[in-house]
Amino acid sequence: MAFLKIKNIFLFTTVLCCCNGYCQETSKDLLEKMDGIISQRAYFVTKKIDRINEIVQSAPNPQNESELNDYYYYCLNLYNEYQTFKFDSAYYYAKKLNETAKRINNPEMIANAKIQFANILISAGIFNESQDILKSVELKGLSDEMQANYYQILSRGYFDMESFSQSQEYALEYRKKGMAGYDSAMMYLPQSSWKYHSLNAQKNLKLGNTDTTIIELKDIISTYNLSNDELAVQLMSLAFSYGIIEDEENELINMTKAAIADFRGAKKEAVALLFLANKLYEKGDVIRASKYVNIALEDSRFYGSNFRLWQVSNFLPFIKAEHIGTIEKQKNKLWNYALAVTLLTIVVGISFVIIVRQIIKIRKSKRTLEHTNNKLAVSNEELMLANRIKEKYIGYYFETSSQIIDKLAKLKSLVGRRLKRKQYDELLLEVDNLNIHKEKANLYHNFDKAFLEIFPEFSRKINNLLKAEEQIRLKEGQLLNTELRIIALLRLGINDAEKLSHILDCSVNTIYAYKSKMKNKSKNPNQFEKDVMLISRVKNIRNNSLI
């Protein structure tokens, strides 16, 4: 009887182990599951948009001082929704968050707004500016949670800078600063929180303690109720850990799970799918890799960050080239088959016709792919110029805004003193002494200077488009005149006459008159505006020359 009981226990244990092994999902199972998730992408995006619309409908009035706190959290909620979904919207609400925090004048809110703004700049690859913003955060008196968040974002920036650094010396310095940021963040986090354990796991991963990292990450994933975005990050770290110890199956499993979590969270800034595509490419699954990298490219375009688009474009040519090679191999097999079966019956002849049609389609696909790659190369060149313009004018915007704020602060202080002393005549005199014309002239001069740093040959190239007798002669010390300034704004994409009139403080008719006058002066009036848009100054990717 005892023997039968032991035998039954052994049998039950064996069956249970078999069931557990059977229920364990393989990478093949998960990839098939993800193909189903991909077909539901529109559903997850719609849910995301519905959440955003629900927040938008509850918008407080930012002009009402009593609703400023509500408007701050309204901007914060929208920023959080857009952060990994739509870059330009996240950037917009990050700016609104900073403006609102300044109006409220709450140190905690100001610090949080700056941290979030730095975070979105890191996502766009704007590392130096993000570091400058973080350095401006006053940490004294902030809550532990806020200080932990500050050091986490600081570390993220340094580790991203390490990843894209071209210098081993600087890369090591960035890693050192990133690790120091982890230590500081962990000082302010409760040891029971998942964020504390996650940072500790990241530290161990970078220190080479891979086995410890795997145990910590698996414990986080199984213990804590994480959101899709949070789960995806932990799963990618786990995948990298398995990759270090060359456990390809578990690496692929966790990478696929991370990509699935990104899709469920409607995350468009995701990198899991890109790494998964590259892994499948290395394993020889070129067709699936090509499909995934195309989706990653589509998502990057939707997200709207040139930095993310550049990352995807680095993977795309290699996978596409391998895809074309696979198609070429298939084409060669079809040709061999066609030559063999031509010696057989009429049925073989019909098969030959079908194969020829397939080959024509393949060649057409190849030409389409080559055309796409050429367009992508041109787009990369245009993105480099767009990045330079964006970086320059972000700096110009902050510098100009800072100057205006300083002047307003001084004026506020002066007005306050005069009013307290009831010196109304002196106050009126100060107001009369304000030289608006001079301020506008300084604004135009700063714009001219920033523009000519990007397009130093602009005046000469414009003159090349004009007739010899209509050449523009600038006065001594003058960077741009009104005519050139209008054309410069057109080159930056501002072609609305009403906007130009507001910027340059003149009438719409005057703008039209200047534009018409410049066209009439040109050698080819019908082509003039298109020729202006072709004026560029960016390094050619292929020959490293200036164009």
Side-chain angles (χ1 to χ4, degrees):
M1 191 71 178
F3 172 77
L4 289 175
K5 184 179 288 187
I6 293 170
K7 183 178 179 181
N8 288 336
I9 292 172
F10 176 78
L11 181 61
F12 174 78
T13 306
T14 304
V15 171
L16 184 62
C17 290
C18 290
C19 289
N20 286 336
Y22 179 77
C23 292
Q24 177 66 42
E25 287 182 300
T26 64
S27 60
K28 182 180 178 182
D29 297 330
L30 283 166
L31 287 170
E32 290 175 357
K33 180 179 179 180
M34 194 174 81
D35 287 338
I37 293 290
I38 288 173
S39 66
Q40 301 175 39
R41 282 195 304 154
Y43 165 74
F44 296 118
V45 171
T46 301
K47 283 182 64 178
K48 180 82 166 180
I49 292 172
D50 288 343
R51 286 200 305 274
I52 291 171
N53 289 336
E54 189 177 341
I55 296 172
V56 169
Q57 288 171 5
S58 64
N61 181 9
Q63 304 306 322
N64 190 336
E65 293 293 323
S66 64
E67 295 185 31
L68 271 183
N69 275 10
D70 292 338
Y71 187 73
Y72 173 90
Y73 290 107
Y74 163 81
C75 292
L76 181 60
N77 288 336
L78 283 175
Y79 164 82
N80 288 332
E81 289 292 340
Y82 279 120
Q83 185 186 350
T84 58
F85 185 65
K86 197 75 172 169
F87 169 76
D88 55 359
S89 298
Y91 182 87
Y92 172 82
Y93 284 107
K95 287 179 66 178
K96 287 292 181 185
L97 198 64
N98 275 271
E99 293 169 6
T100 309
K102 288 177 183 177
R103 287 178 63 189
I104 297 172
N105 198 25
N106 181 301
E108 191 87 353
M109 289 180 173
I110 291 172
N112 187 43
K114 287 184 176 181
I115 291 168
Q116 301 307 329
F117 194 47
N119 192 30
I120 198 64
L121 290 180
I122 292 170
S123 296
I126 308 173
F127 299 123
N128 290 334
E129 289 80 358
S130 68
Q131 293 294 321
D132 290 341
I133 290 170
L134 287 172
K135 287 175 184 176
S136 71
V137 175
E138 179 59 54
L139 294 175
K140 186 177 180 180
L142 296 181
S143 65
D144 287 355
E145 180 183 1
M146 192 61 64
Q147 297 207 48
N149 194 24
Y150 169 86
Y151 285 113
Q152 283 180 269
I153 301 303
L154 185 69
S155 295
R156 181 196 171 196
Y158 280 127
F159 285 127
D160 276 10
M161 290 166 73
E162 177 199 3
S163 299
F164 296 100
S165 175
Q166 302 298 314
S167 165
Q168 182 66 23
E169 180 183 353
Y170 284 114
L172 290 172
E173 184 64 22
Y174 294 145
R175 172 177 279 255
K176 182 180 177 182
K177 290 180 178 180
M179 294 294 279
Y182 275 171
D183 289 334
S184 298
M186 291 172 68
M187 287 174 57
Y188 294 101
L189 286 170
Q191 293 188 12
S192 60
S193 70
W194 72 267
K195 288 185 178 181
Y196 178 91
H197 293 292
S198 176
L199 289 179
N200 196 50
Q202 295 295 332
K203 273 189 62 180
N204 280 315
L205 179 61
K206 293 183 183 300
L207 291 172
N209 303 325
T210 311
D211 292 336
T212 304
T213 302
I214 291 173
I215 294 170
E216 287 179 314
L217 290 171
K218 289 173 74 174
D219 184 63
I220 291 169
I221 293 167
S222 62
T223 304
Y224 297 92
N225 184 24
L226 305 178
S227 68
N228 283 310
D229 285 359
E230 293 164 349
L231 180 61
V233 174
Q234 306 309 311
L235 286 168
M236 279 303 296
S237 297
L238 187 56
F240 291 145
S241 301
Y242 279 121
I244 292 171
I245 62 174
E246 298 181 353
D247 185 344
E248 289 190 352
E249 177 64 5
N250 275 315
E251 181 186 12
L252 194 55
I253 285 173
N254 286 283
M255 222 172 254
T256 308
K257 286 181 177 180
I260 289 172
D262 283 339
F263 280 125
R264 285 176 170 161
K267 189 175 181 180
K268 295 294 185 178
E269 190 224 5
V271 294
L273 187 65
L274 190 58
F275 280 101
L276 178 59
N278 189 55
K279 188 65 185 175
L280 292 171
Y281 161 75
E282 291 174 354
K283 290 175 68 65
D285 191 350
V286 179
I287 304 299
R288 190 175 250 135
S290 180
K291 174 185 175 182
Y292 289 175
V293 82
N294 278 330
I295 294 171
L297 180 62
E298 181 185 331
D299 284 350
S300 294
R301 284 174 175 160
F302 181 92
Y303 181 66
S305 166
N306 292 335
F307 178 65
R308 293 301 179 203
L309 193 59
W310 171 78
Q311 284 182 293
V312 177
S313 67
N314 283 340
F315 285 85
L316 187 64
F318 304 104
I319 295 176
K320 284 297 181 184
E322 190 69 22
H323 191 189
I324 293 170
T326 302
I327 294 173
E328 285 292 336
K329 291 176 184 177
Q330 292 174 351
K331 182 184 73 172
N332 291 334
K333 289 180 181 178
L334 290 173
W335 269 112
N336 292 333
Y337 175 72
L339 292 173
V341 297
T342 50
L343 302 175
L344 301 175
T345 62
I346 297 174
V347 177
V348 175
I350 296 172
S351 300
F352 177 76
V353 172
I354 295 171
I355 292 168
V356 169
R357 288 179 178 175
Q358 290 175 334
I359 291 172
I360 292 171
K361 289 180 181 179
I362 290 171
R363 286 178 174 172
K364 186 177 179 181
S365 298
K366 181 181 176 182
R367 287 195 296 271
T368 303
L369 287 171
E370 289 174 349
H371 179 66
T372 302
N373 283 339
N374 289 336
K375 287 176 68 177
L376 185 60
V378 172
S379 296
N380 282 341
E381 291 175 357
E382 291 174 351
L383 286 174
M384 289 174 67
L385 178 60
N387 279 339
R388 179 172 171 80
I389 291 172
K390 183 186 294 183
E391 290 170 5
K392 189 66 188 175
Y393 278 95
I394 285 175
Y396 167 66
Y397 166 79
F398 278 115
E399 182 181 353
T400 304
S401 298
S402 177
Q403 291 173 357
I404 292 171
I405 290 170
D406 287 344
K407 290 178 181 179
L408 286 174
K410 291 177 181 177
L411 181 60
K412 178 183 175 183
S413 176
L414 178 63
V415 169
R417 290 197 306 271
R418 297 295 190 202
L419 289 175
K420 284 181 181 178
R421 297 170 184 173
K422 297 184 179 181
Q423 296 173 336
Y424 303 121
D425 292 338
E426 289 83 347
L427 180 59
L428 184 59
L429 182 61
E430 294 289 347
V431 173
D432 290 338
N433 286 336
L434 288 175
N435 192 337
I436 301 301
H437 179 75
K438 181 180 178 182
E439 294 298 326
K440 287 183 179 178
N442 288 337
L443 178 66
Y444 295 150
H445 178 79
N446 289 337
F447 168 80
D448 297 346
K449 183 179 178 183
F451 181 83
L452 290 175
E453 284 185 20
I454 302 171
F455 302 98
E457 297 293 313
F458 184 75
S459 299
R460 183 182 64 78
K461 290 181 178 180
I462 289 295
N463 275 333
N464 288 341
L465 300 177
L466 303 179
K467 299 171 186 174
E469 66 275 13
E470 300 290 354
Q471 301 283 300
I472 295 174
R473 301 287 187 270
L474 293 172
K475 298 177 182 179
E476 185 177 352
Q478 191 176 28
L479 300 178
L480 296 175
N481 61 14
T482 303
E483 291 173 318
L484 286 174
R485 199 170 291 122
I486 291 173
I487 303 304
L489 289 167
L490 288 173
R491 177 60 188 85
L492 294 177
I494 305 173
N495 52 23
D496 183 84
E498 190 170 342
K499 287 183 180 178
L500 289 170
S501 69
H502 284 305
I503 293 171
L504 298 175
D505 195 22
C506 58
S507 70
V508 173
N509 289 335
T510 302
I511 296 296
Y512 282 125
Y514 272 116
K515 288 173 68 175
S516 178
K517 183 179 177 183
M518 289 297 289
K519 280 186 178 181
N520 293 332
K521 287 182 178 182
S522 68
K523 299 172 184 175
N524 189 352
N526 293 332
Q527 189 68 22
F528 179 69
E529 290 192 12
K530 291 182 180 178
D531 290 338
V532 169
M533 294 308 292
L534 291 174
I535 294 175
S536 178
R537 186 185 188 276
V538 61
K539 280 194 175 181
N540 188 292
I541 293 171
R542 298 180 187 83
N543 57 28
N544 204 34
S545 63
L546 289 174
I547 59 172

